[in-house]
Amino acid sequence: MDFFKKLFSKKADTEIQVIKEDECNLENCGCRSCENEKHGDYLKKICLEIETIPCEPNPYFNVASESAKFFEEFELRMTTVYRMFGVSNKFLKEYQKVSKESLSLTKENKNEFSKYSKCYFINNNAFKEISNMGHLLNIFTIFEVLLKNVTKDLAYDKNIELEEIQNKNMSYLNSYIIFLEDSLKNSFSLNDEEKSFISIVRKIRNDYLHDYMSEIPESMEKEIVKIFDLRIGKRIVVDEYFIENTSKIFGNIAKRLEKAYWEYKNKTFTK
């Protein structure tokens, strides 16, 4: 017991501190309010004021009063991704701003500018893409797992194995959708736009996972423009707008699925 007491009472080697802008006094800090920042010194530290425990609920899906574990899990994970996305965006925006300022300060030194610009352009292009794609992958996975778990639950009621539903000639996700629509007739279905969008997100996810391909093909861009009623010719990328709309669409489908699920359960087990 003494060992565990010592282990859990031990302080971490590095403590994370939340520093408010008006209290920041770190040398060379990236905050504009810091008086100790050396003019012309491109080596800066980023000073951010971030709430350490953001508690806002996700705006896309909240379980009904009567719920099941897999819907609760979906809400929890959507909330986690939503909060993480907000924190990541705040850091990356500040990081990119400070990096750009730092890069401009190296222009007088050819060697430093060459070295720092290579670093800057790699980071500036890649960090945001990796962050956005990572969040999109998480959202898609959370959604697919929800559909899989609801399918498994309804299949159990019908004495069907999950493997029988997973059609080898199509994606597992499409197999789940077909099964759910058939099982929850007249109470749950996806419209053509939703099905089209799910296929687009799945294609983006697969291309990125297997080939690092983050470019959205022109044919898919046209579909997205129609779904979101965007201006024709608008360049579609996986950005905050795309991630927010993906979350909205998946959250809306989950709400309808939860409602249909309980209608089915109440009807089936109250006979």
Side-chain angles (χ1 to χ4, degrees), residues 39-142:
H39 178 70
D41 190 346
Y42 66 88
L43 294 174
K44 296 184 178 183
K45 294 180 181 178
I46 295 177
C47 201
L48 279 178
E49 184 178 1
I50 297 177
E51 185 184 352
T52 51
I53 308 177
C55 293
E56 67 276 15
N58 84 80
Y60 312 115
F61 177 84
N62 294 285
V63 294
S65 55
E66 181 182 35
S67 192
K69 183 181 177 181
F70 31 79
F71 288 110
E72 291 172 357
E73 184 74 11
F74 179 74
E75 179 190 2
L76 176 64
R77 292 189 178 275
M78 283 290 279
T79 301
T80 304
V81 172
Y82 171 69
R83 291 175 184 171
M84 186 65 192
F85 189 53
V87 172
S88 298
N89 274 349
K90 190 167 187 177
F91 172 79
L92 284 173
K93 281 175 183 175
E94 185 66 20
Y95 175 84
Q96 289 175 332
K97 183 189 77 174
V98 172
S99 292
K100 191 172 183 179
E101 292 171 357
S102 298
L103 177 63
S104 67
L105 293 173
T106 66
K107 287 181 179 177
E108 301 301 320
N109 186 321
K110 187 176 179 181
N111 290 333
E112 288 294 343
F113 181 75
S114 176
K115 178 178 73 174
Y116 198 78
S117 61
K118 186 182 292 185
C119 170
Y120 169 80
F121 286 115
I122 290 174
N123 294 355
N124 196 53
N125 292 332
F127 282 8
K128 194 66 178 172
E129 177 192 300
I130 290 171
S131 177
N132 287 339
M133 289 303 300
H135 284 96
L136 186 70
L137 265 57
N138 276 318
I139 293 165
F140 185 87
T141 300
I142 293 164

Side-chain angles (χ1 to χ4, degrees), residues 11-17:
K11 285 188 178 179
D13 294 336
T14 305
E15 293 186 2
I16 298 173
Q17 296 182 346

Side-chain angles (χ1 to χ4, degrees), residues 28 33 56 66 85-86 99 118 132 172 176 200 205 217 232 247-248:
N28 299 333
S33 61
E56 67 276 15
E66 181 182 35
F85 189 53
S99 292
K118 186 182 292 185
N132 287 339
Y172 284 173
Y176 304 148
I200 288 168
R205 193 266 316 235
I232 295 173
S247 301
K248 281 181 181 177

Side-chain angles (χ1 to χ4, degrees), residues 18-26 33:
V18 179
I19 304 170
K20 293 185 178 180
E21 290 190 2
D22 57 354
E23 297 173 351
C24 182
N25 59 5
L26 294 173
S33 61

Side-chain angles (χ1 to χ4, degrees), residues 123-180:
N123 294 355
N124 196 53
N125 292 332
F127 282 8
K128 194 66 178 172
E129 177 192 300
I130 290 171
S131 177
N132 287 339
M133 289 303 300
H135 284 96
L136 186 70
L137 265 57
N138 276 318
I139 293 165
F140 185 87
T141 300
I142 293 164
F143 179 69
E144 185 173 35
V145 169
L146 172 66
L147 266 59
K148 176 183 177 181
N149 285 334
V150 178
T151 296
K152 192 187 294 185
D153 184 88
L154 297 184
Y156 178 81
D157 291 345
K158 299 173 183 290
N159 200 27
I160 301 172
E161 294 293 329
L162 184 65
E163 290 73 18
E164 296 177 52
I165 297 165
Q166 294 170 330
N167 192 317
K168 300 299 183 286
N169 296 319
M170 65 175 71
S171 71
Y172 284 173
L173 184 58
N174 284 340
S175 296
Y176 304 148
I177 290 170
I178 290 170
F179 176 80
L180 291 170

